Amino acid sequence: MIFILMLTTMSLSAENRVSERVFLKTDRPVYIAGDKVWCSAFCVDAASSGRLSEVSSIAYVELHSADGLAQTAKIALLNGRGAGSLDLKSDLPTGNYRLVAYTANSLNEEGVDYSTCATTISVFNPSSTQRVKDGVIVADPGSRKTASDKGSLEVKMPENASGRVLPVELVNNGKALAYVCISVAHDDGIVAPESQDIDSFLSSIKPSTSFRDDFIPEYDGEIIRAKVSGISPEQADSLAGKFAFISAPGDMADVYSSPVASDATATFYTNNIFGNKDLVCEIEGLPKKTYCHLEILSPFQDVEAGAIPELLISSSQKNALLSRMAYRQVENNFDGEFLYDFMPFRANRIFGAEARSYKLDDYTRFPLMSEVLVEIIPELRARTNKGHTEIQFRLEDQYKNTFFGQEQGLVLLDGTPIFDHGKIMSYDPMLVERVNVYPYTYFIGSRAYHGVADFVTYKKNLPAMDFDTNVRIVSFQGASLPMSFTCKDLHVNESYPDYRQVAYWHPSVNVKAGETFCFECTLPTYEGDFILTVEGLTEDGEPVRVVRKLTSSARSRR
């Protein structure tokens, strides 16, 4: 009977598989090397007429040229929508590039043509003569047709707008909720590459009929995989069942654990780690004279991005490129004119919100950590057990009775596990800003800890802490922070000419049926034309798009 139930469950799960495809909409189609590419992600179920998928919580982004994979990024997803950015390297060769995104869930599908999900951008590098191999032709790029409006959205703007602040109304005249991104970018005459839009993407994707189980769907966040390096096969057997830990030092508790498998690998289930951070990697309780370390494995698969069109370049683009180079120089020296906002994203709540926080500057400062525990923190005490120092926790049961538990608790320094509690007891308390105590039982992966204490330093970067030789601190590429921005309506500093290319960017706007989304766009001081682009899809999977050209004659200057 159990076997029959297992077969039935497997059959149902295969029938209910989601074929995920990710469309990336960028803030503009043409960039200078060193620019930031702002992205809005739409993760849809190809088998449900383009409706948003709620399965995956992270998308992997790859930037390809004819020379191969150039750069990568990660975008966190929340109910099928996500936003982030990719910083183009300043030494990228001039040429066209393809941006393609995918999820771990989609990697289990067989026969996926990821080129149908790719979008093309142009990158110019005026400070270098290097070009993508066989990817640039000196010729007149001609002109590209402008995408036509699609769907039920309407843009309303005043005909006689005064000043640089332009009020805009986005009206949804349809019957379904619309998920869109909004961009207002300078039209400097550089011809954009031919690339797909949201409706061509939706019409080209096809669901898979064959699946495998090589990748675990990432429902709650990125699943980080690591392998143990530097040991012999005989030593690897002794590691099976021991726990490996990764943590990102900082104010937030980004700490995860995993048992080491028999093949000397570890799998960490995270809630997404945001930003580029240092990861502290460690294996707890290694046998003596076992010298090994964790090595984080890359999740990027170098998928096929499809044919990349050649970039057409001519002398007519010289002035526009010089202006963009000036903008890059100004941006590197002055970045105080933009107003940035963080978009909603899944919070990392490993320990909940029950912390009892002790800010040490509110008390008499003591030179020894043992005095801090005795005089300030009643939930903690230090004891010696079999020659080793242990920090024990005062716990609460369901009847609010308190007692000091003998079970193992977790002690952190800036969110990083410190298994040798003697190191914390000998640590300089003058470096510690506060101590957060969680007097309950928590699970870190499959490991239970009866109490957690996080000693947070002023610098948040583990100052003056000595680690064992098996500990490795590695650079980790986390999910890029989802942000929107607009320009403040301030007087521009005369020392910094106003060369802004993007005046407004909002990667995730939801407009309900019959409702209006209003925003203000502060345009740059220089004369020129701008393109307002609104693009996305409805909750029914229908594409929507509005493109408007804002001319300098439509507004007066201050």
Side-chain angles (χ1 to χ4, degrees):
M1 178 62 70
I2 295 177
F3 180 71
I4 295 175
L5 288 174
M6 290 177 60
L7 289 179
T8 303
T9 303
M10 292 174 61
S11 176
L12 288 174
S13 62
E15 291 177 359
N16 296 326
R17 294 280 191 119
V18 176
S19 292
E20 289 185 326
R21 302 290 183 273
V22 181
F23 175 76
L24 293 178
K25 178 64 180 177
T26 59
D27 60 322
R28 48 192 163 136
V30 179
Y31 299 86
I32 295 293
D35 279 347
K36 186 184 292 290
V37 180
W38 296 98
C39 301
S40 178
F42 299 81
C43 182
V44 304
D45 180 1
S48 65
S49 302
R51 291 180 176 85
L52 293 177
S53 169
E54 299 182 1
V55 174
S56 294
S57 292
I58 192 164
Y60 300 97
V61 180
E62 297 181 355
L63 181 71
H64 290 257
S65 73
D67 295 332
L69 179 62
Q71 287 186 240
T72 59
K74 299 172 185 175
I75 293 180
L77 300 174
L78 187 61
N79 299 324
R81 294 286 282 117
S85 61
L86 183 148
D87 292 311
L88 296 175
K89 296 178 180 178
S90 58
D91 60 351
L92 276 182
T94 297
N96 280 336
Y97 291 77
R98 295 270 277 177
L99 271 172
V100 60
Y102 53 88
T103 65
N105 185 59
S106 66
L107 293 174
N108 285 318
E109 304 175 43
E110 296 183 349
V112 177
D113 183 4
Y114 289 102
S115 64
T116 61
C117 305
T119 185
T120 304
I121 63 173
S122 295
V123 178
F124 292 88
N125 194 337
S127 61
S128 172
T129 58
Q130 189 176 9
R131 301 175 179 178
V132 173
K133 184 179 180 181
D134 301 326
V136 179
I137 296 178
V138 179
D140 184 0
S143 60
R144 298 280 190 267
K145 64 179 182 178
T146 303
S148 58
D149 291 354
K150 191 88 173 180
S152 57
L153 297 183
E154 178 185 2
V155 168
K156 294 182 178 181
M157 296 178 291
E159 294 183 359
N160 299 314
S162 61
R164 291 169 49 218
V165 180
L166 183 65
V168 181
E169 295 182 357
L170 179 61
V171 184
N172 185 354
N173 295 318
K175 297 181 179 180
L177 172 68
Y179 308 98
V180 298
C181 63
I182 304 174
S183 172
V184 178
H186 180 222
D187 181 13
D188 55 7
I190 300 179
V191 179
E194 295 283 2
S195 187
Q196 69 173 350
D197 45 32
I198 188 70
D199 42 330
S200 62
F201 162 77
L202 292 173
S203 62
S204 64
I205 57 176
K206 297 179 181 179
S208 296
T209 58
S210 180
F211 298 86
R212 56 181 183 269
D213 296 302
D214 296 342
F215 296 87
I216 304 172
E218 295 172 316
Y219 300 109
D220 297 317
E222 181 181 2
I223 299 175
I224 300 175
R225 293 171 174 81
K227 67 177 182 179
V228 182
S229 298
I231 59 172
S232 64
E234 295 77 15
Q235 291 176 316
D237 294 336
S238 65
L239 297 181
K242 293 189 177 300
F243 277 82
F245 288 80
I246 59 171
S247 56
D251 199 13
M252 298 293 290
D254 268 326
V255 55
Y256 304 94
S257 73
S258 167
V260 179
S262 57
D263 60 351
T265 61
T267 304
F268 303 92
Y269 294 81
T270 78
N271 296 326
N272 279 334
I273 297 175
F274 286 88
N276 295 331
K277 296 185 175 181
D278 289 334
L279 276 191
V280 179
C281 307
E282 184 175 5
I283 301 174
E284 182 186 16
L286 285 178
K288 293 183 178 180
K289 297 184 179 180
T290 301
Y291 301 101
C292 59
H293 62 274
L294 282 178
E295 179 182 341
I296 303 296
L297 302 179
S298 173
F300 296 98
Q301 303 298 309
D302 193 3
V303 300
E304 179 59 47
I308 303 176
E310 297 167 321
L311 174 65
L312 304 182
I313 188 171
S314 69
S315 58
S316 62
Q317 299 170 325
K318 178 179 178 180
N319 290 335
L321 292 175
L322 290 176
S323 295
R324 291 213 184 189
M325 279 297 294
Y327 160 74
R328 285 294 311 141
Q329 296 171 2
V330 169
E331 186 182 53
N332 289 338
N333 292 282
F334 180 71
D335 195 26
E337 199 179 353
F338 284 100
L339 180 64
Y340 293 90
D341 288 319
F342 286 104
M343 305 301 299
F345 58 91
R346 180 180 285 104
N348 185 3
R349 297 282 186 183
I350 295 179
F351 304 126
E354 309 92 353
R356 298 177 183 177
S357 187
Y358 296 89
K359 188 176 181 181
L360 299 190
D361 284 340
D362 293 341
Y363 303 85
T364 301
R365 296 305 300 247
F366 296 98
L368 300 177
M369 193 64 73
S370 58
E371 296 174 313
V372 172
L373 266 58
V374 170
E375 301 294 339
I376 299 178
I377 309 175
E379 289 86 3
L380 302 179
R381 72 179 184 184
R383 292 292 184 269
T384 301
N385 183 12
K386 298 180 180 179
H388 298 284
T389 300
E390 291 183 355
I391 294 179
Q392 298 178 348
F393 291 77
R394 191 180 70 181
L395 306 175
E396 292 183 2
D397 61 18
Q398 57 182 337
Y399 303 107
K400 300 297 181 179
N401 296 320
T402 60
F403 59 95
F404 278 93
Q406 302 302 312
E407 300 86 354
Q408 183 180 20
L410 181 63
V411 177
L412 309 172
L413 179 67
D414 288 334
T416 298
I418 305 296
F419 301 111
D420 184 356
H421 295 179
K423 291 185 177 181
I424 289 293
M425 295 308 299
S426 61
Y427 196 69
D428 185 357
M430 295 300 177
L431 301 176
V432 178
E433 177 187 20
R434 68 181 185 273
V435 180
N436 297 327
V437 181
Y438 304 85
Y440 304 97
T441 298
Y442 294 91
F443 281 88
I444 311 297
S446 58
R447 184 78 169 272
Y449 288 95
H450 302 280
V452 178
D454 190 5
F455 293 74
V456 183
T457 68
Y458 289 98
K459 294 185 176 181
K460 315 293 190 300
N461 61 358
L462 309 170
M465 174 55 66
D466 293 328
F467 289 99
D468 295 334
T469 56
N470 294 310
V471 176
R472 289 292 185 273
I473 300 179
V474 299
S475 297
F476 179 77
Q477 181 185 39
S480 58
L481 289 167
M483 301 174 67
S484 64
F485 63 85
T486 185
C487 178
K488 298 178 183 178
D489 186 24
L490 299 177
H491 174 69
V492 178
N493 189 322
E494 296 296 335
S495 301
Y496 298 96
D498 191 359
Y499 284 121
R500 287 178 292 114
Q501 294 291 307
V502 181
Y504 185 87
W505 169 250
H506 200 309
S508 183
V509 174
N510 298 339
V511 187
K512 295 181 179 180
E515 294 191 358
T516 301
F517 175 76
C518 302
F519 66 96
E520 289 185 342
C521 175
T522 303
L523 298 168
T525 56
Y526 60 82
E527 295 288 338
D529 295 329
F530 293 82
I531 301 297
L532 165 64
T533 305
V534 181
E535 192 162 7
L537 48 79
T538 69
E539 59 184 343
D540 296 331
E542 295 296 326
V544 289
R545 179 177 56 254
V546 181
V547 180
R548 292 289 182 271
K549 191 170 186 177
L550 312 180
T551 62
S552 58
S553 60
R555 58 186 186 277
S556 62
R557 297 291 180 182
R558 289 179 179 175

